[in-house]
Amino acid sequence: MLSEGRKKNRVTLLDVARHASVSRATASLVIRKSPLVSTETRAKVEAVMQELGYVYNMGAARLRADRSLTIGVVIPNLVNPFFTELLAGIDRIIDAAGMVVILVNSGDLVARQETLLTRMREHGVDGIILCPAAETEMSLVEKMVEWDLPLVQVLRRVTDDCDYAGVDYAFGMRQAVDHLAELGHRDIAFALHGPIHSAYQERIDGFRDAMEARGLDPENVIRVPHQIAAIAEAAGLFTEGSRRSSAVVCFNDVVALGLSAGLYDLGISIGRDFSLVGFDDVADAEAMRPRLTSVATFPEAIGEGAAKLLLDRLAQPDLAPRKLVNAPQLHIRQSSAIWRGSSLGRRQESG
Amino acid sequence: MLSEGRKKNRVTLLDVARHASVSRATASLVIRKSPLVSTETRAKVEAVMQELGYVYNMGAARLRADRSLTIGVVIPNLVNPFFTELLAGIDRIIDAAGMVVILVNSGDLVARQETLLTRMREHGVDGIILCPAAETEMSLVEKMVEWDLPLVQVLRRVTDDCDYAGVDYAFGMRQAVDHLAELGHRDIAFALHGPIHSAYQERIDGFRDAMEARGLDPENVIRVPHQIAAIAEAAGLFTEGSRRSSAVVCFNDVVALGLSAGLYDLGISIGRDFSLVGFDDVADAEAMRPRLTSVATFPEAIGEGAAKLLLDRLAQPDLAPRKLVNAPQLHIRQSSAIWRGSSLGRRQESG
DNA sequence: GCGACGATTTAGATCGATCTAAATCAGTTG
DNA sequence: CAACTGATTTAGATCGATCTAAATCGTCGC
């Protein structure tokens, strides 16, 4: 009923053309702001479009012109604030280019990711920004190249034969470790969690290299649970047992927030008895008390970078693959402090 | 170059039909899983599609069938975790229905919202889920009804002539106020911020009604800044001056987080000297220390509800407008506690 | 053996814009 | 005044699927 109505009284380009006494082709040129039409004709046609309430039909245009002004964004997780900020950055650039974002959530599952990518392809997106799910095969990306579907990897990468926008995690880790080492800490742990992917690996490697460079133990790496409530319960891993730490570098701010809660529960004062450094510096970091020292990775800027890479590639498909690697920046606040000796009963080591 | 390639070797339904020695029409029926085709023909066609690597072209289908399997979601803010969870709920349902979400961010600006809605319409979305920007006119929604574009309002509403999925804010406020009153608090403030819209008004009204029902001052309503760092600085508004409160109900968890930080900075112990109740109960609430008492509004469930309303309406456009109003639920944790008298030097009142 | 009937299949028009190649027009030029 | 510009405009084919209405096929009853 309604849809019949919608269909019936839809005003098309042909209607516009007739009312303006020009051809469909001319009307089309007006829409596309071609310089070919004369100013008077343009004005006339535009007036008629206004008058009739003409609505451009992207779908029809897309079919003929093989372009949809639509891009697909695949992220593994919607509720992590990091991805949200990334998305905000992507949206800003894509929107400014007059395009829209089709958003899907892979849940970090490769099978699901594959389904979703096929669906985007069916929908005719012009390109895709993908944060590959953990364990994504290189062949996936190769397949997409074969499809001629412009692709930008973001935050994680599975191949170098394709654009990538991400973070220099190693540099971030070095800043975190150096900061703690300069405060006098020697027993520094790395707390990580989550699925394993390139960004995960780069952070571990970065931590180990930085520790080694300082002559500290690079193997003090501890996995914590994924759920934030469970992370809090795991705080004891760092403060009890034979291997106690006086400082922890966290995989991201979510881990930092969880450990912060857990240390609070254990009665340990962060920024006095224990130092904590987060990673990513999402908005909440500054709202924590004590304020969280964190390595800022500027997710919004990365999103913008990824979107720009994609727009460039759409304009010039033959460009060589490019990398955009952002330098992170340590923000020192209250959660990290000078080492005050074995206030936790930490065992003393020689050297 | 590449796009020529893409276009040239695209395999269409006609190719499939030829290879399978059937007509285009039959192949189309196979795709759409029509019961009209025989099992053998179906198998044959499907085999050919597989073999040729056929990719369905939604765009072409959409043009003819006037349906896009696409819905638009307009939200005012991407980085508020509340909206993110809402979005996750919407995505789950829409995805399960085989459709995709086109996401845009209005930034809570009416002008921008209007542009975006037009754009969605041009893109041919089948329907829209809209959280109206503050100060949205009723006429906007009426216009969309005129366009025959199925619409669901979510969280905020500007008219009753259109589906709506939201929260019973008044009930949530009553739970929060009752809880604090039962703990012995009498000087209870409401801390709010942000742009003014229906959800804002419903919360204020709910607070006032609940306070009045308890014989408490309904006018103790204080606006705090929008930026989270600035909220912290505003904490003194509740603890200093002539009008001191012993407990605060917050507009949402973001305000609660900010105030919590500010109170910490003032050396006030939350859950002992002062009680704080959040609103929304986003994931972070349980990670705060002390754990935040908060009124859970289940954003993900609301998102699911909104998406279901929209799917129903797509199926039956003539349905009367429906409302889905979720009952929120108070989660009592550590940030609210029994009133201990004037530990803040609170002035004593008679009655 | 013929018309009827249910089950399958199909030709051809159609959705609404874009593209190509050619037509039209006003103004110059020799 | 015919030929030649450059600037505008246009007819008609086209993108790839869907829809309508009609054709085909095998079988069954009489």
Side-chain angles (χ1 to χ4, degrees), chain B residues 229-278:
Chain B
I231 296 174
E233 287 161 20
L237 292 176
F238 301 90
T239 59
E240 292 160 8
S242 64
R243 179 78 210 182
R244 294 177 186 173
S245 304
S246 64
V248 175
V249 178
C250 299
F251 182 75
N252 60 25
D253 288 348
V254 174
V255 171
L257 185 60
L259 285 184
S260 158
L263 291 166
Y264 173 97
D265 293 343
L266 293 173
I268 295 172
S269 165
I270 295 168
R272 264 196 355 134
D273 305 337
F274 200 90
S275 288
L276 207 58
V277 176

Short mmCIF file of all heavy atoms in Angstrom, two decimals, chain B residues 229-278:
data_model
loop_
_atom_site.label_atom_id
_atom_site.label_comp_id
_atom_site.label_asym_id
_atom_site.label_seq_id
_atom_site.Cartn_x
_atom_site.Cartn_y
_atom_site.Cartn_z
N ALA B 229 36.41 16.37 32.10
CA ALA B 229 37.41 16.96 32.99
C ALA B 229 36.81 18.15 33.75
O ALA B 229 37.09 18.37 34.94
CB ALA B 229 38.64 17.41 32.20
N ALA B 230 35.95 18.89 33.08
CA ALA B 230 35.33 20.06 33.71
C ALA B 230 34.30 19.63 34.75
O ALA B 230 34.06 20.35 35.73
CB ALA B 230 34.68 20.93 32.65
N ILE B 231 33.69 18.50 34.55
CA ILE B 231 32.73 18.00 35.54
C ILE B 231 33.44 17.81 36.88
O ILE B 231 32.93 18.19 37.93
CB ILE B 231 32.10 16.67 35.10
CG1 ILE B 231 31.28 16.85 33.83
CG2 ILE B 231 31.20 16.11 36.22
CD1 ILE B 231 30.76 15.54 33.26
N ALA B 232 34.63 17.22 36.80
CA ALA B 232 35.38 16.96 38.03
C ALA B 232 35.59 18.26 38.78
O ALA B 232 35.42 18.33 40.01
CB ALA B 232 36.72 16.30 37.69
N GLU B 233 35.92 19.29 38.04
CA GLU B 233 36.18 20.57 38.70
C GLU B 233 34.93 21.17 39.34
O GLU B 233 35.02 22.05 40.19
CB GLU B 233 36.77 21.56 37.69
CG GLU B 233 38.21 21.21 37.34
CD GLU B 233 38.65 21.86 36.03
OE1 GLU B 233 38.00 22.84 35.62
OE2 GLU B 233 39.62 21.36 35.42
N ALA B 234 33.77 20.69 38.87
CA ALA B 234 32.53 21.26 39.38
C ALA B 234 32.01 20.54 40.62
O ALA B 234 30.94 20.87 41.14
CB ALA B 234 31.47 21.24 38.28
N ALA B 235 32.76 19.56 41.09
CA ALA B 235 32.26 18.75 42.21
C ALA B 235 31.96 19.60 43.43
O ALA B 235 31.04 19.31 44.21
CB ALA B 235 33.28 17.66 42.55
N GLY B 236 32.73 20.68 43.60
CA GLY B 236 32.53 21.53 44.75
C GLY B 236 31.13 22.12 44.86
O GLY B 236 30.65 22.44 45.95
N LEU B 237 30.45 22.25 43.72
CA LEU B 237 29.09 22.79 43.73
C LEU B 237 28.17 22.04 44.69
O LEU B 237 27.19 22.59 45.19
CB LEU B 237 28.48 22.69 42.32
CG LEU B 237 29.08 23.58 41.23
CD1 LEU B 237 28.42 23.28 39.89
CD2 LEU B 237 28.89 25.04 41.61
N PHE B 238 28.49 20.77 44.92
CA PHE B 238 27.59 19.94 45.74
C PHE B 238 28.01 19.89 47.20
O PHE B 238 27.24 19.48 48.06
CB PHE B 238 27.53 18.52 45.16
CG PHE B 238 27.05 18.50 43.75
CD1 PHE B 238 27.94 18.60 42.69
CD2 PHE B 238 25.70 18.44 43.46
CE1 PHE B 238 27.50 18.61 41.37
CE2 PHE B 238 25.24 18.45 42.16
CZ PHE B 238 26.15 18.54 41.11
N THR B 239 29.26 20.26 47.46
CA THR B 239 29.77 20.06 48.82
C THR B 239 30.06 21.37 49.54
O THR B 239 30.35 21.38 50.72
CB THR B 239 31.08 19.24 48.77
OG1 THR B 239 32.03 19.97 47.99
CG2 THR B 239 30.83 17.89 48.15
N GLU B 240 30.01 22.45 48.80
CA GLU B 240 30.36 23.73 49.42
C GLU B 240 29.18 24.70 49.34
O GLU B 240 28.19 24.42 48.68
CB GLU B 240 31.57 24.33 48.71
CG GLU B 240 32.84 23.52 48.95
CD GLU B 240 33.90 23.81 47.90
OE1 GLU B 240 33.69 24.76 47.11
OE2 GLU B 240 34.91 23.10 47.87
N GLY B 241 29.32 25.83 50.01
CA GLY B 241 28.28 26.84 49.95
C GLY B 241 27.15 26.53 50.91
O GLY B 241 27.22 25.59 51.71
N SER B 242 26.09 27.29 50.76
CA SER B 242 25.00 27.19 51.73
C SER B 242 24.20 25.91 51.52
O SER B 242 23.61 25.37 52.43
CB SER B 242 24.07 28.40 51.61
OG SER B 242 23.48 28.38 50.33
N ARG B 243 24.18 25.50 50.28
CA ARG B 243 23.33 24.36 49.94
C ARG B 243 24.17 23.11 49.75
O ARG B 243 24.65 22.83 48.66
CB ARG B 243 22.60 24.68 48.63
CG ARG B 243 21.69 23.59 48.14
CD ARG B 243 20.42 23.57 48.91
NE ARG B 243 19.87 22.25 49.00
CZ ARG B 243 18.71 22.02 49.62
NH1 ARG B 243 18.04 23.02 50.17
NH2 ARG B 243 18.25 20.80 49.69
N ARG B 244 24.42 22.38 50.79
CA ARG B 244 25.25 21.19 50.66
C ARG B 244 24.39 19.94 50.57
O ARG B 244 23.37 19.84 51.21
CB ARG B 244 26.18 21.07 51.87
CG ARG B 244 27.17 22.20 51.87
CD ARG B 244 28.06 22.15 53.07
NE ARG B 244 28.88 23.36 53.07
CZ ARG B 244 29.68 23.67 54.08
NH1 ARG B 244 29.76 22.88 55.14
NH2 ARG B 244 30.38 24.77 54.01
N SER B 245 24.87 19.01 49.78
CA SER B 245 24.12 17.76 49.63
C SER B 245 24.95 16.63 50.21
O SER B 245 26.18 16.72 50.30
CB SER B 245 23.85 17.48 48.16
OG SER B 245 23.17 18.59 47.60
N SER B 246 24.27 15.58 50.59
CA SER B 246 25.00 14.40 51.06
C SER B 246 24.96 13.30 50.01
O SER B 246 25.60 12.27 50.16
CB SER B 246 24.40 13.89 52.37
OG SER B 246 23.07 13.45 52.15
N ALA B 247 24.17 13.55 48.99
CA ALA B 247 24.05 12.52 47.95
C ALA B 247 23.68 13.19 46.63
O ALA B 247 23.00 14.21 46.62
CB ALA B 247 22.99 11.50 48.33
N VAL B 248 24.14 12.59 45.54
CA VAL B 248 23.83 13.12 44.22
C VAL B 248 23.36 12.00 43.31
O VAL B 248 23.97 10.93 43.27
CB VAL B 248 25.06 13.80 43.58
CG1 VAL B 248 24.73 14.24 42.15
CG2 VAL B 248 25.52 14.98 44.39
N VAL B 249 22.27 12.27 42.62
CA VAL B 249 21.86 11.40 41.53
C VAL B 249 22.40 12.03 40.25
O VAL B 249 22.24 13.23 40.04
CB VAL B 249 20.32 11.30 41.44
CG1 VAL B 249 19.92 10.42 40.25
CG2 VAL B 249 19.74 10.77 42.73
N CYS B 250 23.05 11.24 39.43
CA CYS B 250 23.68 11.80 38.23
C CYS B 250 22.84 11.55 36.98
O CYS B 250 22.18 10.51 36.86
CB CYS B 250 25.06 11.20 38.02
SG CYS B 250 26.15 11.54 39.41
N PHE B 251 22.93 12.46 36.07
CA PHE B 251 22.21 12.37 34.80
C PHE B 251 22.58 11.09 34.05
O PHE B 251 21.75 10.43 33.45
CB PHE B 251 22.55 13.58 33.95
CG PHE B 251 21.84 13.63 32.65
CD1 PHE B 251 20.51 13.97 32.58
CD2 PHE B 251 22.51 13.33 31.46
CE1 PHE B 251 19.84 14.02 31.37
CE2 PHE B 251 21.85 13.38 30.25
CZ PHE B 251 20.51 13.73 30.20
N ASN B 252 23.86 10.78 34.06
CA ASN B 252 24.32 9.51 33.48
C ASN B 252 25.65 9.12 34.11
O ASN B 252 26.17 9.84 34.97
CB ASN B 252 24.41 9.61 31.94
CG ASN B 252 25.39 10.67 31.49
OD1 ASN B 252 26.32 11.03 32.22
ND2 ASN B 252 25.18 11.18 30.30
N ASP B 253 26.21 8.01 33.68
CA ASP B 253 27.44 7.53 34.29
C ASP B 253 28.64 8.40 33.98
O ASP B 253 29.62 8.40 34.71
CB ASP B 253 27.72 6.09 33.86
CG ASP B 253 26.76 5.10 34.51
OD1 ASP B 253 26.05 5.51 35.45
OD2 ASP B 253 26.74 3.94 34.08
N VAL B 254 28.57 9.12 32.87
CA VAL B 254 29.68 10.01 32.54
C VAL B 254 29.77 11.11 33.59
O VAL B 254 30.86 11.41 34.10
CB VAL B 254 29.48 10.63 31.13
CG1 VAL B 254 30.56 11.67 30.85
CG2 VAL B 254 29.49 9.55 30.07
N VAL B 255 28.63 11.68 33.96
CA VAL B 255 28.60 12.67 35.03
C VAL B 255 29.09 12.05 36.33
O VAL B 255 29.89 12.63 37.06
CB VAL B 255 27.18 13.25 35.21
CG1 VAL B 255 27.12 14.12 36.45
CG2 VAL B 255 26.77 14.05 33.98
N ALA B 256 28.63 10.85 36.60
CA ALA B 256 29.02 10.17 37.85
C ALA B 256 30.53 9.97 37.90
O ALA B 256 31.17 10.21 38.92
CB ALA B 256 28.31 8.83 37.96
N LEU B 257 31.08 9.56 36.76
CA LEU B 257 32.52 9.33 36.71
C LEU B 257 33.26 10.64 36.96
O LEU B 257 34.23 10.69 37.73
CB LEU B 257 32.89 8.75 35.34
CG LEU B 257 34.33 8.33 35.14
CD1 LEU B 257 34.72 7.24 36.14
CD2 LEU B 257 34.55 7.82 33.72
N GLY B 258 32.80 11.69 36.33
CA GLY B 258 33.43 12.99 36.51
C GLY B 258 33.34 13.46 37.95
O GLY B 258 34.35 13.89 38.54
N LEU B 259 32.16 13.37 38.53
CA LEU B 259 32.00 13.82 39.91
C LEU B 259 32.83 12.97 40.86
O LEU B 259 33.41 13.46 41.83
CB LEU B 259 30.53 13.78 40.32
CG LEU B 259 29.66 14.89 39.74
CD1 LEU B 259 28.25 14.79 40.30
CD2 LEU B 259 30.25 16.26 40.07
N SER B 260 32.85 11.69 40.57
CA SER B 260 33.63 10.78 41.40
C SER B 260 35.09 11.24 41.43
O SER B 260 35.73 11.31 42.49
CB SER B 260 33.52 9.38 40.82
OG SER B 260 34.59 8.59 41.23
N ALA B 261 35.61 11.60 40.27
CA ALA B 261 36.99 12.09 40.21
C ALA B 261 37.13 13.39 41.00
O ALA B 261 38.08 13.59 41.76
CB ALA B 261 37.41 12.29 38.75
N GLY B 262 36.15 14.27 40.82
CA GLY B 262 36.21 15.56 41.50
C GLY B 262 36.14 15.41 43.01
O GLY B 262 36.86 16.10 43.76
N LEU B 263 35.29 14.53 43.47
CA LEU B 263 35.16 14.32 44.92
C LEU B 263 36.46 13.73 45.48
O LEU B 263 36.92 14.08 46.57
CB LEU B 263 33.98 13.40 45.21
CG LEU B 263 32.61 14.03 44.91
CD1 LEU B 263 31.51 12.97 44.90
CD2 LEU B 263 32.28 15.12 45.93
N TYR B 264 37.04 12.84 44.72
CA TYR B 264 38.33 12.27 45.11
C TYR B 264 39.35 13.39 45.28
O TYR B 264 40.08 13.46 46.27
CB TYR B 264 38.78 11.29 44.03
CG TYR B 264 40.18 10.74 44.20
CD1 TYR B 264 40.40 9.51 44.80
CD2 TYR B 264 41.29 11.45 43.72
CE1 TYR B 264 41.69 8.99 44.95
CE2 TYR B 264 42.59 10.95 43.87
CZ TYR B 264 42.77 9.72 44.48
OH TYR B 264 44.04 9.23 44.62
N ASP B 265 39.36 14.31 44.32
CA ASP B 265 40.31 15.42 44.39
C ASP B 265 40.07 16.28 45.63
O ASP B 265 41.00 16.87 46.18
CB ASP B 265 40.20 16.30 43.14
CG ASP B 265 40.67 15.56 41.89
OD1 ASP B 265 41.36 14.53 42.04
OD2 ASP B 265 40.34 16.02 40.77
N LEU B 266 38.82 16.35 46.06
CA LEU B 266 38.49 17.14 47.25
C LEU B 266 38.74 16.36 48.53
O LEU B 266 38.48 16.86 49.63
CB LEU B 266 37.02 17.58 47.19
CG LEU B 266 36.65 18.58 46.08
CD1 LEU B 266 35.14 18.78 46.03
CD2 LEU B 266 37.37 19.91 46.31
N GLY B 267 39.18 15.13 48.36
CA GLY B 267 39.45 14.33 49.56
C GLY B 267 38.20 13.76 50.20
O GLY B 267 38.22 13.36 51.38
N ILE B 268 37.13 13.72 49.46
CA ILE B 268 35.88 13.19 50.02
C ILE B 268 35.73 11.73 49.64
O ILE B 268 35.88 11.36 48.48
CB ILE B 268 34.69 13.99 49.49
CG1 ILE B 268 34.80 15.43 50.01
CG2 ILE B 268 33.37 13.35 49.91
CD1 ILE B 268 33.80 16.38 49.40
N SER B 269 35.44 10.91 50.63
CA SER B 269 35.37 9.48 50.38
C SER B 269 33.96 9.07 49.94
O SER B 269 33.01 9.14 50.72
CB SER B 269 35.78 8.73 51.64
OG SER B 269 35.41 7.39 51.54
N ILE B 270 33.86 8.64 48.72
CA ILE B 270 32.55 8.23 48.19
C ILE B 270 32.16 6.90 48.79
O ILE B 270 32.97 5.98 48.92
CB ILE B 270 32.63 8.10 46.66
CG1 ILE B 270 32.92 9.48 46.06
CG2 ILE B 270 31.34 7.54 46.09
CD1 ILE B 270 33.29 9.44 44.63
N GLY B 271 30.89 6.81 49.18
CA GLY B 271 30.42 5.58 49.81
C GLY B 271 30.58 5.67 51.33
O GLY B 271 30.13 4.80 52.05
N ARG B 272 31.24 6.71 51.81
CA ARG B 272 31.33 6.95 53.26
C ARG B 272 30.79 8.34 53.56
O ARG B 272 29.72 8.50 54.12
CB ARG B 272 32.79 6.83 53.74
CG ARG B 272 33.11 5.46 54.30
CD ARG B 272 34.41 5.48 55.10
NE ARG B 272 35.09 6.78 55.05
CZ ARG B 272 35.59 7.40 56.12
NH1 ARG B 272 35.52 6.82 57.31
NH2 ARG B 272 36.22 8.56 55.99
N ASP B 273 31.54 9.33 53.10
CA ASP B 273 31.11 10.71 53.38
C ASP B 273 30.03 11.20 52.42
O ASP B 273 29.38 12.20 52.66
CB ASP B 273 32.30 11.67 53.24
CG ASP B 273 33.45 11.23 54.12
OD1 ASP B 273 33.19 10.51 55.11
OD2 ASP B 273 34.60 11.59 53.80
N PHE B 274 29.90 10.52 51.32
CA PHE B 274 29.07 11.06 50.26
C PHE B 274 28.55 9.91 49.40
O PHE B 274 29.27 8.93 49.18
CB PHE B 274 29.93 12.00 49.39
CG PHE B 274 29.14 12.97 48.57
CD1 PHE B 274 28.82 14.23 49.09
CD2 PHE B 274 28.72 12.65 47.30
CE1 PHE B 274 28.09 15.13 48.34
CE2 PHE B 274 27.99 13.55 46.54
CZ PHE B 274 27.68 14.80 47.06
N SER B 275 27.32 10.05 48.96
CA SER B 275 26.76 8.99 48.12
C SER B 275 26.53 9.47 46.69
O SER B 275 26.14 10.62 46.47
CB SER B 275 25.44 8.48 48.70
OG SER B 275 25.69 7.74 49.87
N LEU B 276 26.77 8.55 45.77
CA LEU B 276 26.69 8.89 44.36
C LEU B 276 25.90 7.79 43.67
O LEU B 276 26.16 6.60 43.87
CB LEU B 276 28.12 8.94 43.81
CG LEU B 276 28.44 9.80 42.61
CD1 LEU B 276 28.11 11.26 42.89
CD2 LEU B 276 29.94 9.66 42.30
N VAL B 277 24.92 8.20 42.87
CA VAL B 277 24.20 7.20 42.07
C VAL B 277 24.28 7.60 40.61
O VAL B 277 23.94 8.72 40.25
CB VAL B 277 22.71 7.11 42.50
CG1 VAL B 277 21.96 6.14 41.59
CG2 VAL B 277 22.60 6.67 43.95
N GLY B 278 24.75 6.68 39.79
CA GLY B 278 24.86 6.93 38.35
C GLY B 278 23.58 6.57 37.63
O GLY B 278 22.59 6.16 38.24
#
